[in-house]
Amino acid sequence: MSLSVGEGSFVSLVGPSGSGKSSLLRAVIGLQKPLSGTVETTLTHAEIGLLFQDDALLPWKTARDNVALGLTLNGME
């Protein structure tokens, strides 16, 4: 796959379950290594937003800590 997205654009991935949408997004944000090829982006992790379809809460953290996790991981809290 090759994809070029213009600055300020909003992109949605749509497809059937199991088609690789989540795998692609995980590779872009660095949570998963691609099986082949490379991922290149000029964005920092702080500039990329991702909302998981399934619950991605850490049960041992408070609700506040779960909400603030992105800020914490980026050294902003």
Side-chain angles (χ1 to χ4, degrees), residues 3-74:
L3 175 67
S4 180
V5 179
E7 185 175 341
S9 296
F10 182 89
V11 177
S12 296
L13 295 177
V14 180
S17 180
S19 64
K21 301 177 302 291
S22 294
S23 295
L24 173 63
L25 292 173
R26 289 176 191 272
V28 168
I29 64 172
L31 290 178
Q32 176 177 321
K33 289 185 178 182
L35 295 176
S36 65
T38 60
V39 175
E40 297 177 22
T41 180
T42 59
L43 299 173
T44 66
H45 289 167
E47 296 173 302
I48 298 174
L50 175 62
L51 178 65
F52 292 99
Q53 180 177 343
D54 296 324
D55 294 339
L57 300 176
L58 304 176
W60 60 88
K61 291 192 172 282
T62 65
R64 182 194 180 286
D65 289 342
N66 270 286
V67 170
L69 184 60
L71 296 172
T72 303
L73 294 175
N74 284 298

